[in-house]
Amino acid sequence: MRTSLRNKIIDVCNKKIVSKGEHVGVSFYAFFKNKNDDPELLMEAAEWWIKIHQLDHFEKASKIRELVEKGK
C-alpha cells in the first residue's frame, strides 16, 4: 500500500476515534470523497481490505489503524 494511502487511513481513523469513540466503525469508503476521483487508489484500498485481509464491510477504526501502522 502506498504511503499516501497509509497516512490517509491513519488520519481518518484517528479523527473518527476522537470524535465518536474507540468503538467507531469504518469501511474502506471512509477514506474517499463521494466522487470517485482516483479509482486506482480506491481499488488499492479495496484489495487491501477485502482480498488481502478479508475484513467485514465495517470494522473498528482502531483495528484498521493498528493493521496499517504495523504494515500489514
Side-chain angles (χ1 to χ4, degrees), residues 8-59:
K8 187 175 200 171
I9 290 172
I10 291 168
D11 184 51
V12 168
C13 287
N14 284 337
K15 287 178 181 175
K16 293 245 182 217
I17 291 167
V18 166
S19 69
K20 298 196 177 198
E22 195 67 29
H23 300 290
V24 66
V26 293
S27 78
F28 67 87
Y29 291 113
F31 313 116
F32 299 92
K33 298 176 185 175
N34 287 337
K35 183 178 179 188
N36 185 6
D37 57 355
D38 193 344
E40 287 182 24
L41 192 61
L42 177 65
M43 291 306 294
E44 186 177 331
E47 183 174 334
W48 180 89
W49 191 284
I50 298 166
K51 194 173 183 182
I52 295 171
H53 292 286
Q54 300 177 353
L55 299 169
D56 289 337
H57 183 75
F58 282 96
E59 293 284 350

